[in-house]
Amino acid sequence: MPRRTRLAMAMAVLLGGAAGLAGAAPLDALLDVSDAPGARARWSVQAMGDGTQPVFDAAGVARQAGHTESVRLGLVSGPWSFTLGGHQRAIHNKSDDHQVQSWHAAAQFEPGLVSGAPATGSPMRWALRLSAWGNRADQLVQSSNSVLKVSGLKARLVEMELVRPRDLQLQFDLVGRYTAPVSDWAFSGFAGVGTSEVTRSVVSGKATISGCTYQLQFGEARLNALPLADCPKALIVSVPNQLLQFDVLQETRYRSLYGHAGGAVHWRRAGWHLALGGELQQWQRSTADELQTRNAILVAEVQRALTPSVSVLLRGQYQHRQLLGEVPMLFNARSTSTASRRVGTVSVGLLAQF
């Protein structure tokens, strides 16, 4: 195999090996209908902060989940409920720090409350939910010191950069709830489908080859490796994309379909609310490879009322594939092996209702 082709394929294995992933909106494992049917219009504000990252940093564990701060605004009025929220996430990955902004919005309608209260007083209720959510960043830069094995040359990957990466998800769910008669227990469940789109503006990278620094440019038809000013006599490498093992542009801009289902158990008594939920996801990317991915999420939440309108929250979340269900675009800058890591978070916050 010609040397330049082998070099380009080695770069593509490292840079293009990332498989984009998509999932369901944050905290979908606890999807539920309104717990106060037929009540007057009520607002709620929730603020949460992830306090586990400093613990992992001190222990030297690189979980890449990052510190998250979130705010969520809710409104319940008759058969309608609305949610609008945002997250600020700081991703720590060895020497790299990434800032990611997230948002989500949802509208939910419960047909049984159109008349103002459940028609039959049945313990079984259901609702339709439409939501949108997404993530954005100005840029994601992944540093590396990986060796590129090319015969006769000393080559290393220096970094890969995505400019203005974005992901956008649209989702439809059917949500149900069963409240056990004369009991503090309730059970909720859901199933839904969605579409996902991952985009970016520019993808590029840098590598050193025999002491020279090369700028990697991924074009629609070719991969070009251009020497920078510190090596004026170096060769320019240009290889057609069809000779590469991975299409880097396709791996960072694509659409997918996904489905998910799950449920939760709830317990309420004397100012306490405990919930434990689980969610299973599966999606298929709408590209030639039709790659399929599965994920599992568990969420546990404890809520304690401090006053009739203010509660303190403690929430734990486990994901079988780290951040898969919350920030799909992050995996465009990582390898598929990174996507299989498990991650857990613990957050604390306050909930105010008025």
Side-chain angles (χ1 to χ4, degrees):
M1 181 183 296
R3 175 178 295 178
R4 286 184 294 181
T5 302
R6 293 179 64 184
L7 171 61
M9 290 188 69
M11 292 177 181
V13 168
L14 275 170
L15 296 176
L21 306 172
L27 297 181
D28 271 359
L30 299 182
L31 278 184
D32 197 2
V33 298
S34 170
D35 58 0
R40 62 177 179 82
R42 293 183 303 136
W43 292 89
S44 65
V45 178
Q46 181 183 118
M48 301 288 294
D50 173 18
T52 53
Q53 186 63 41
V55 177
F56 282 91
D57 291 341
V61 177
R63 65 173 188 142
Q64 283 91 32
H67 179 76
T68 302
E69 297 174 344
S70 65
V71 175
R72 175 175 297 199
L73 177 66
L75 171 63
V76 178
S77 180
W80 291 96
S81 60
F82 305 91
T83 302
L84 179 64
H87 297 69
Q88 176 67 40
R89 188 187 301 271
I91 306 296
H92 310 293
N93 183 23
K94 297 181 180 179
S95 61
D96 298 311
D97 292 322
H98 309 300
Q99 299 294 327
V100 176
Q101 296 80 44
S102 309
W103 62 273
H104 64 272
Q108 186 165 303
F109 176 71
E110 186 174 348
L113 296 183
V114 173
S115 60
T120 63
S122 170
M124 186 66 192
R125 298 161 53 208
W126 63 280
L128 302 174
R129 182 181 181 89
L130 181 64
S131 58
W133 57 282
N135 304 274
R136 63 172 301 277
D138 293 332
Q139 65 177 8
L140 296 175
V141 179
Q142 178 61 49
S143 301
S144 176
N145 193 33
S146 302
V147 176
L148 300 175
K149 296 181 180 180
V150 182
S151 177
L153 293 176
K154 293 182 178 180
R156 288 183 179 273
L157 177 67
V158 177
E159 70 176 27
M160 179 180 175
E161 178 181 12
L162 293 176
V163 179
R164 291 192 294 276
R166 304 284 191 272
D167 64 58
L168 172 63
Q169 288 67 231
L170 299 176
Q171 185 174 312
F172 175 79
D173 292 290
L174 176 64
V175 185
R177 176 186 179 95
Y178 174 79
T179 303
V182 195
S183 172
D184 301 317
W185 296 90
F187 305 89
S188 61
F190 62 90
V193 296
T195 65
S196 174
E197 182 177 15
V198 173
T199 62
R200 42 86 191 131
S201 176
V202 177
V203 56
S204 63
K206 289 183 181 179
T208 58
I209 306 172
S210 296
C212 296
T213 303
Y214 280 74
Q215 181 73 41
L216 306 179
Q217 297 180 348
F218 298 92
E220 296 293 340
R222 308 179 70 88
L223 165 66
N224 298 314
L226 308 178
L228 299 184
D230 62 345
C231 196
K233 296 182 180 180
L235 296 176
I236 297 177
V237 179
S238 182
V239 178
N241 286 345
Q242 58 264 31
L243 298 180
L244 305 178
Q245 185 172 352
F246 295 96
D247 187 332
V248 177
L249 296 188
Q250 178 179 283
E251 294 298 326
T252 55
R253 178 184 289 168
Y254 62 88
R255 294 182 179 181
S256 62
L257 301 175
Y258 64 90
H260 73 140
V265 57
H266 306 261
W267 178 83
R268 288 181 180 273
R269 179 182 294 176
W272 288 92
H273 179 200
L274 280 63
L276 176 64
E279 175 187 3
L280 295 176
Q281 311 166 352
Q282 179 167 339
W283 73 279
Q284 180 170 309
R285 194 165 62 173
S286 302
T287 54
D289 57 14
E290 296 184 342
L291 181 65
Q292 296 188 19
T293 304
R294 294 182 178 90
N295 189 27
I297 297 176
L298 294 176
V299 178
E301 183 176 282
V302 178
Q303 179 178 326
R304 173 59 176 171
L306 302 179
T307 71
S309 58
V310 178
S311 301
V312 62
L313 295 173
L314 177 65
R315 178 183 299 143
Q317 179 169 294
Y318 164 86
Q319 297 193 63
H320 180 67
R321 294 179 180 271
Q322 61 160 353
L323 301 179
L324 169 59
E326 296 187 359
V327 194
M329 71 179 189
L330 288 183
F331 293 95
N332 295 332
R334 301 291 295 164
S335 67
T336 52
S337 61
T338 301
S340 64
R341 293 178 181 173
R342 294 157 176 75
V343 64
T345 59
V346 177
S347 303
V348 295
L350 292 174
L351 171 66
Q353 297 176 309
F354 50 92

